Amino acid sequence: MKIHELIRELREPSDSKIVLLVADGLGGLPIESGGKTELESARTPNLDACAREGVCGLSTPVLPGITPGSGPGHLGLFGYDPLEYRIGRGILEAMGIHFSVGPRDVAARGNFCTVDDAGLITDRRAGRPTTERCVAMCRKLQQIRIPGVEIFVEPVREHRFVVVFRGDELGDAVNDTDPQQTGHKPLEAQGEGKPAENTARFVNLFVSEAARVLRGDAPTNMVTLRGFARYPKIETLQEIYGLRPVALAVYPMYKGLARLVGMDIADAGATLGDQIETLRRLWNQYDFFFLHYKYTDSTGEDGNFAAKVEMIEHLDAELPKIRALDPDVLIVTGDHSTPSKLRSHSWHPVPVLLWAPTCRPDPVIEFGESYCLRGGLGQFPAMYLMPLAMAHAGRLGKYGA
Amino acid sequence: MKIHELIRELREPSDSKIVLLVADGLGGLPIESGGKTELESARTPNLDACAREGVCGLSTPVLPGITPGSGPGHLGLFGYDPLEYRIGRGILEAMGIHFSVGPRDVAARGNFCTVDDAGLITDRRAGRPTTERCVAMCRKLQQIRIPGVEIFVEPVREHRFVVVFRGDELGDAVNDTDPQQTGHKPLEAQGEGKPAENTARFVNLFVSEAARVLRGDAPTNMVTLRGFARYPKIETLQEIYGLRPVALAVYPMYKGLARLVGMDIADAGATLGDQIETLRRLWNQYDFFFLHYKYTDSTGEDGNFAAKVEMIEHLDAELPKIRALDPDVLIVTGDHSTPSKLRSHSWHPVPVLLWAPTCRPDPVIEFGESYCLRGGLGQFPAMYLMPLAMAHAGRLGKYGA
């Protein structure tokens, strides 16, 4: 990315510290038209104080109208163009169960399905088996050995699992084997180009072995695989920004995303309180701290407006402990919106608060979507948050004389 | 640039006149959080009247978080993407002393330094000689003759000078000869590719001759050279916009930047009053007038809030003389922010005022950063100011049927 080259050229050494606090799915919607969002309904005296001193705005994670998943949402916040850097479904699934994917891996999402005697699929999700059964079936698949490749099979939940092929010269341009409808056989894997042909050959061998070992286990008597993806080669935050970054996250997928961009992964405990205690403990060892707070998203996905408000208020109550560490730049934002009204991620712009002593005043006196609309950061692509953080942290020199 | 092709296609002849008044480093910050900026503190009845009638906004010179030098700042205002068009340090230094660089030139910044008997550098700035001594030493260097190339040496200040190599097939992909630390010899120049190899050969011959002629002149007994740069090939404002542009600037660097984009350079005197008098005199000969006002930047760099306020008020007081000429479009803005609180250029967006009879009303009733945040131009890349000026000047036709 052009801006990454520019940052490398302009960056300057500094002892300043940047905290990026991501409240997952922070942006919301009112239940009733004209009402208040979750963030606006929450009592947030500490966030409001930061908003008054700092500068606010609304970020667009990908493009207007585009709803991001967690991968693109976080890549944007970490300063990457989420349209240029894509993380395949297989890799994200592997990260989601904390499987440590590496450069020789191709990962795919697997589904148990049901086939009849003729091999035609009768249920693409095998009647949604219990997770216990998923684990037991995966144990059978783990016995499969194919010469020339290492294969890892890990259960996810219900009919879902992850399979990772590890070897040399493995490409990921391989089609999904799920025919997307019943009454058809699983598709044969085919590779585009030599490395992907290698992968496809191993995939087809694995699938026929899977059919053999699962033969007597209807309804979980067959598998389909999709989202073949290699571990993406991404320049790290160290390489681009010269930062020493660490992630304080509870959930595996966010740790995985952080590891992908070069962050160290701290053992941050299970609660926001634990995370902030870890932040305090590691304060002198790092200069970029990514704190991930999951519950604003999960309550939004549950459609629980009141619970999301409560989670935001909990976050606000913990904020003074972070400010007490005296960061040079403190950012509070989300990776996308998750309005409880929609029970899902959405495309709506995301509230952003950037606090630093070098902020120009704006009219924002409360942290909320309506105020952010009038904020000094305006509406901007999320990937520019990192350059702004670097500037306010005194870590960027002048471009050109 | 794509937009330049579009403008060429759409431009229409007109007698309309555009005035671009650049108050260098105009944007600022309050001293105390929540206070007023320099521009907001200044009493500016004339600018405020223009703001009420016109349209305002905030421009981003390069990208969010990126602090521009004067070169990229002005290129943006002149309608060029400052990331696509880069001006090398040597060219800017040459412009800064009003050396008329041309297409066969490679310019570099030179430093006098001190070497010991073994040729090792003991002081990279030769003990910061007086400018008088710099001039005397440059006179010695001016006697150097190298067959096949013309060489110009001009003093800048203290240990600094400019050297220009003029000839055919000279490239600028040449390393700096300054080793960046004492105890080392100056580095040999090496070129990347044939044309730069030509330059490097001349550079090495020049440096060894310099060592010879300065031998008895310790502490100014050696030179290092850096920032080798060719005169960039830039489409002119005439070519892109069909304008007849003239620059009314006092300081050499801004004249140089204007010449780079094809402007005629007027002898504009020493004060803003002189510049406006020149504007009046040349009113019928040109249709695009670039007025550069330096003192908003220099007072900002001095950290003198009150003086910057005063310079803004002085500008405001002179404004009626410009309006009296009845321009079709009048723009008042800066090339970047220079908050006196930071004593330097900064990345903060820059206030923009565009006055024309075709402006759509916006809520701005005073020219200042907070009001501009609510202005009709929004926040936008500085390079779009020229197309906006062209449109308001009635100089752009419709795109497509």
Side-chain angles (χ1 to χ4, degrees), chain A residues 181-202:
Chain A
Q181 47 188 334
T182 54
H184 292 256
K185 288 187 180 183
L187 304 174
E188 197 176 345
Q190 294 185 319
E192 216 181 295
K194 194 79 187 77
E197 285 169 16
N198 295 336
T199 309
R201 195 174 62 247
F202 292 130

Side-chain angles (χ1 to χ4, degrees), chain A residues 2-3 6-7 9-10 53 357-363 374-378 384 387-388 391-392 396-401, chain B residues 28-30 35 62-72 82-83 86 89 92 337 341-342 345 347-349 369 373 379:
Chain A
K2 213 167 170 179
I3 188 165
L6 188 63
I7 299 276
E9 192 184 315
L10 302 183
E53 294 169 32
T358 41
C359 292
R360 185 184 277 167
D362 66 16
R374 290 182 263 157
L377 293 173
Y384 292 133
L388 283 165
H392 282 281
L396 285 184
K398 190 161 65 173
Y399 171 60
Chain B
L29 283 176
V62 182
L63 282 175
I66 304 301
T67 297
S70 299
L83 288 174
R86 302 183 74 151
R89 152 76 50 179
L92 267 176
S337 294
K341 181 179 179 172
L342 302 184
H345 292 199
W347 62 93
H348 299 87
E369 288 83 349
L373 191 54
Q379 299 208 35

Side-chain angles (χ1 to χ4, degrees), chain B residues 113-123 126 184-186 211 215 218-224:
Chain B
C113 63
T114 312
V115 290
D116 62 19
D117 290 343
L120 306 179
I121 295 177
T122 57
D123 188 328
H184 291 256
K185 289 186 179 184
R215 183 163 299 150
T220 51
N221 63 351
M222 188 45 174
V223 300
T224 58

